[in-house]
Amino acid sequence: MAKAPTIRDVAARAGVSVATASNVANGNRPVGEASRKRVLAAIAELGYQVDRAASALRGASTRLVGMIVPDITNVFFASLIHGVEALAERDGYDLLLASTSEDEAIERRRLHALVGRRIDGLIAVPASDGSMASLAASGARLPPTVLVDRGAESPVFDTVRADCETGGYEAARHLIALGHRDLAMLAHSGHLQNMAERIAGCRRALGEAGLAGRERVVYGGHDLESLRGAIETELQRAGPPTAILALTNVCALAALKAARGLGLDIPGDVSIVGFDDFDWMLALRPYLTTVAQPVDDFAASAWALLMRRMAGDVASPVERILLPCALKVRESTGTARPRLEAFAEAQARA
Amino acid sequence: MAKAPTIRDVAARAGVSVATASNVANGNRPVGEASRKRVLAAIAELGYQVDRAASALRGASTRLVGMIVPDITNVFFASLIHGVEALAERDGYDLLLASTSEDEAIERRRLHALVGRRIDGLIAVPASDGSMASLAASGARLPPTVLVDRGAESPVFDTVRADCETGGYEAARHLIALGHRDLAMLAHSGHLQNMAERIAGCRRALGEAGLAGRERVVYGGHDLESLRGAIETELQRAGPPTAILALTNVCALAALKAARGLGLDIPGDVSIVGFDDFDWMLALRPYLTTVAQPVDDFAASAWALLMRRMAGDVASPVERILLPCALKVRESTGTARPRLEAFAEAQARA
DNA sequence: ATGAAAGCGCTAACAC
DNA sequence: GTGTTAGCGCTTTCAT
């Protein structure tokens, strides 16, 4: 690692002052054509690169954006990061990544670290709906921030999320139309608003069909194994559900695994509707009926919102972007059978 | 965002000099018990945080580590990032993330950006085996760097990777023991050494069984769809393979999808061995026989190596860590059937 | 349109 | 053990 050239080297080589060199490099002030060319040449020859640490110190932006998600390993969040990273690079920003493992204490720590880096902006999928707001209230010096997927009710942050209520509603309608009367919803936690909305949508559909109160909600945490255990228990009850509405892609995986473990046929014995739509689902047999969320649009909207704020727009009121979900009917849902019959058969097979 | 307290504020409040305050904050020099306590108190009261931009400028480390991967969306890389991020946070480093989409030009650009941030170290899964070496040769000022999964032959970088040759060997042995004589290997590219090693391992097994030259190698690029198309074509030939050795998790997905699309029974008509072992595979039916790579160990080893170099050890010779794979025999592999029979049956079903 | 110079917050060298 | 001070590389007034 030889010593990197500084702006002074550039200036010297171009025969101008550092101020001029700086102005060329950043385009902050107009520079005469002749000197501009010479500076540009010097920059190219030296392989000069602005030292962001120094410019940040001087008060300019760091061109650093923080991104914080619960779990990179979850395709949904990974895709989000992927989308944001591409946009960030396009606009000359770098991405500082942190993950929280769904833990608010870790989130606070990580966020503190990011803020200490003087990030220009932050895109976050918070560990809980209120965590960012309370962090901000407790005096954290947050940069412009947009919340994705969670914390949508926040009065202080721009937010982007899917229309979960309608997503849940349509999934339930689909199931009801197939004759299902006993639905189980599999969710991570009752404390997350997006989960609550999906459940609310489902209840609305049930209510409209005169089926209010027939549904069960199963909370299984964030871990795949515990989710599987939770829905398995539900499936083993007397009078089990004929259909499962899995409220995230991890829940869908858990539901599939549980049904399979119990020797249940899908959709013969249980229908399953999942959430999200990613490559790995393509190889699932049966091919999962699912409520797809427009992840790439999440990334694009979040980035656009963030850029606007980072550009200095503090005046506009908080914006809440709601993106539509799309029900993709595939192979994992079918007509409901009398549940006793299905149950007896499964027992016999086992 | 109120103005952040500086070390001068801390020093003033604690009634000591900035040097003392700095030494407490960084533990660089011993400080008397009494002043230390007062400084610590001041730091806590003010919510002071070291400004890394400033300390970096002064020559100290940025405590920033770069990580560059081909595709965050691939669970393998996502898991790697996950592991590294946890370790980095434990040791007080932050992670600057970049992805390359398997493109060397993008890689160069992203790397340039990271280096401009004065990262203390870099963990990279390069777009090609030689890209980092040539970057370094062409004068890029790379910090301590460890290469993971690719570029293992590099004479300049520490590397961590799986024992791909043995992995391929064992997978092929398994298949041969089941009576398979016509194997197809599905790989991304012939230019990647890890792919080549998996293929070499397979060939060794074939050779030992007196079956040299019976295998076919199919290259399908990095895209799922093109991989699927490539292996589908192979499956439709006269005299198709009775077993597929898919050399990455994406290849496995593609093979599964292709076989399924052709109406082939797995493992009745074709056996499939995949690579990697992640959650989403749990729901695959049949449950995939696979060569698992110890991703968490990749992360741990890479981090350990990097920390050693970042701590200033430039003397030790380049280290090459080779981690063992584990063959997990599950449901997607079975005894081979006479291929004509299988082919005819599939035709009939179609 | 250009230059000189101040100083961002910090650490390390040097005094004491 | 503690304090003083000189810059790190940059942007940005303020002059010219």
Side-chain angles (χ1 to χ4, degrees):
Chain A
M1 291 230 292
K3 202 166 158 307
T6 77
I7 195 148
R8 234 173 287 272
D9 298 328
V10 172
R13 187 174 187 111
V16 298
S17 75
V18 289
T20 303
S22 170
N23 287 328
V24 171
N26 300 286
N28 284 349
R29 268 195 331 196
V31 170
E33 188 54 30
S35 358
R36 230 200 61 231
K37 277 217 170 105
R38 292 215 309 287
V39 171
L40 254 16
I43 287 177
E45 287 158 21
L46 262 30
Y48 169 75
Q49 210 178 164
V50 174
D51 183 333
R52 297 276 169 217
S55 38
L57 186 55
R58 199 58 191 74
S61 96
T62 53
R63 301 229 127 208
L64 211 49
V65 162
M67 179 142 191
I68 199 161
V69 297
D71 177 12
I72 317 170
T73 272
N74 181 323
V75 231
F76 178 77
F77 302 127
S79 297
L80 206 55
I81 296 170
H82 182 76
V84 169
E85 205 257 348
L87 266 5
E89 120 105 327
R90 184 198 61 189
D91 293 342
Y93 284 81
D94 286 318
L95 238 204
L96 216 36
L97 181 73
S99 78
T100 63
S101 305
E102 302 279 3
D103 179 318
E104 292 195 46
I106 297 181
E107 180 172 82
R108 194 159 37 244
R109 241 171 37 221
R110 304 302 290 123
L111 197 57
H112 191 68
L114 297 190
V115 170
R117 297 276 181 196
R118 306 228 192 153
I119 48 176
D120 287 346
L122 173 71
I123 293 184
V125 180
S128 81
D129 292 297
S131 62
M132 286 294 157
S134 67
L135 238 33
S138 74
R141 286 172 284 270
L142 289 181
T145 297
V146 7
L147 264 29
V148 180
D149 189 42
R150 298 182 185 173
E153 294 298 280
S154 162
V156 270
F157 303 111
D158 293 326
T159 60
V160 177
R161 56 162 174 159
D163 182 352
C164 293
E165 206 272 348
T166 305
Y169 176 76
E170 286 181 353
R173 289 257 304 183
H174 168 61
L175 256 9
I176 293 167
L178 288 170
H180 293 278
R181 296 297 173 262
D182 297 278
L183 307 190
M185 284 173 265
L186 181 58
H188 295 290
S189 146
H191 300 303
L192 290 172
Q193 198 203 325
N194 53 8
M195 299 287 117
E197 284 177 3
R198 286 164 206 192
I199 293 168
C202 181
R203 290 208 165 113
R204 176 159 63 94
L206 252 8
E208 289 178 6
L211 261 19
R214 292 293 289 265
E215 82 288 355
R216 291 208 180 88
V217 182
V218 178
Y219 297 107
H222 292 284
D223 175 61
L224 179 64
E225 251 331 283
S226 66
L227 280 159
R228 205 216 79 243
I231 191 66
E232 183 178 283
T233 303
E234 185 63 23
L235 248 13
Q236 285 176 304
R237 294 172 40 124
T242 63
I244 300 173
L245 191 39
L247 301 186
T248 69
N249 73 73
V250 179
C251 293
L253 200 49
L256 229 31
K257 209 186 160 198
R260 188 185 172 190
L262 259 20
L264 296 171
D265 181 63
I266 307 168
D269 300 323
V270 235
S271 285
I272 298 181
V273 178
F275 253 81
D276 298 337
D277 195 24
F278 295 105
D279 273 353
W280 59 263
M281 297 181 172
L282 291 175
L284 256 27
R285 186 187 297 255
Y287 194 10
L288 207 64
T289 293
T290 199
V291 179
Q293 300 192 81
V295 199
D296 288 338
D297 297 342
F298 277 37
S301 307
W303 187 253
L305 248 26
L306 187 60
M307 283 294 279
R308 200 184 61 174
R309 296 292 181 195
M310 291 194 304
D313 174 2
V314 286
S316 316
V318 159
E319 192 143 343
R320 293 186 186 152
I321 294 188
L322 197 67
L323 268 7
C325 294
L327 177 68
K328 312 240 175 177
V329 177
R330 299 202 278 227
E331 304 166 359
S332 68
T333 46
T335 55
R337 296 195 305 160
R339 67 190 186 195
L340 261 17
E341 180 192 325
F343 188 65
E345 252 185 50
Q347 295 289 75
R349 274 201 299 273
Chain B
M1 290 230 292
K3 202 168 158 307
T6 78
I7 194 143
R8 236 173 285 271
D9 298 327
V10 172
R13 185 172 189 115
V16 299
S17 75
V18 288
T20 302
S22 169
N23 287 328
V24 171
N26 299 286
N28 285 349
R29 270 197 329 198
V31 170
E33 189 55 28
S35 356
R36 230 198 64 230
K37 276 215 171 104
R38 292 215 311 287
V39 172
L40 254 15
I43 287 177
E45 286 158 21
L46 260 32
Y48 168 76
Q49 211 179 161
V50 174
D51 183 333
R52 296 279 169 212
S55 41
L57 187 54
R58 197 58 191 80
S61 97
T62 52
R63 300 228 129 212
L64 211 50
V65 162
M67 179 142 190
I68 199 161
V69 298
D71 177 12
I72 319 170
T73 271
N74 180 323
V75 233
F76 178 77
F77 302 127
S79 297
L80 207 54
I81 296 169
H82 182 76
V84 169
E85 205 257 349
L87 265 6
E89 120 104 329
R90 184 198 62 189
D91 293 341
Y93 285 80
D94 287 318
L95 238 204
L96 215 38
L97 181 73
S99 77
T100 63
S101 305
E102 302 279 5
D103 179 319
E104 292 194 46
I106 298 181
E107 180 173 84
R108 194 160 37 243
R109 239 168 42 219
R110 304 302 291 124
L111 197 57
H112 191 67
L114 297 190
V115 169
R117 297 278 180 195
R118 305 222 193 162
I119 48 177
D120 287 346
L122 173 70
I123 293 184
V125 181
S128 81
D129 292 297
S131 62
M132 286 295 157
S134 66
L135 238 34
S138 76
R141 285 172 283 270
L142 290 182
T145 297
V146 5
L147 264 29
V148 180
D149 189 42
R150 298 181 185 173
E153 294 299 279
S154 162
V156 270
F157 302 112
D158 293 326
T159 59
V160 177
R161 55 161 175 162
D163 182 352
C164 292
E165 206 273 347
T166 306
Y169 176 76
E170 286 179 354
R173 289 256 304 184
H174 169 61
L175 257 8
I176 292 168
L178 288 171
H180 294 278
R181 296 297 175 263
D182 297 279
L183 308 190
M185 284 173 264
L186 180 57
H188 295 290
S189 145
H191 300 302
L192 290 172
Q193 199 204 324
N194 54 8
M195 299 286 118
E197 285 176 3
R198 286 164 207 192
I199 293 168
C202 180
R203 289 206 166 116
R204 175 158 64 96
L206 252 9
E208 290 178 5
L211 261 18
R214 293 291 289 265
E215 83 286 355
R216 291 207 181 86
V217 182
V218 178
Y219 297 108
H222 291 285
D223 175 61
L224 179 63
E225 250 330 282
S226 67
L227 280 160
R228 206 216 78 242
I231 192 66
E232 184 178 281
T233 303
E234 185 63 25
L235 249 11
Q236 284 176 305
R237 294 172 42 121
T242 63
I244 299 172
L245 191 40
L247 301 186
T248 68
N249 74 74
V250 178
C251 293
L253 199 50
L256 229 31
K257 211 187 158 200
R260 189 184 172 192
L262 257 20
L264 296 171
D265 181 63
I266 307 168
D269 299 323
V270 234
S271 285
I272 298 181
V273 179
F275 252 80
D276 298 338
D277 195 22
F278 295 104
D279 273 354
W280 59 262
M281 297 181 171
L282 292 174
L284 256 26
R285 186 187 298 253
Y287 193 9
L288 207 64
T289 293
T290 199
V291 179
Q293 300 191 80
V295 198
D296 288 339
D297 296 341
F298 277 36
S301 306
W303 186 254
L305 247 25
L306 187 60
M307 283 294 279
R308 200 185 63 173
R309 296 289 181 195
M310 291 194 303
D313 175 1
V314 286
S316 316
V318 158
E319 193 145 342
R320 292 184 186 153
I321 294 188
L322 195 68
L323 268 7
C325 295
L327 177 69
K328 312 239 175 176
V329 177
R330 298 199 283 225
E331 305 166 359
S332 68
T333 46
T335 54
R337 297 194 305 160
R339 66 191 187 195
L340 261 18
E341 180 192 323
F343 188 65
E345 254 184 51
Q347 295 290 71
R349 273 200 301 272

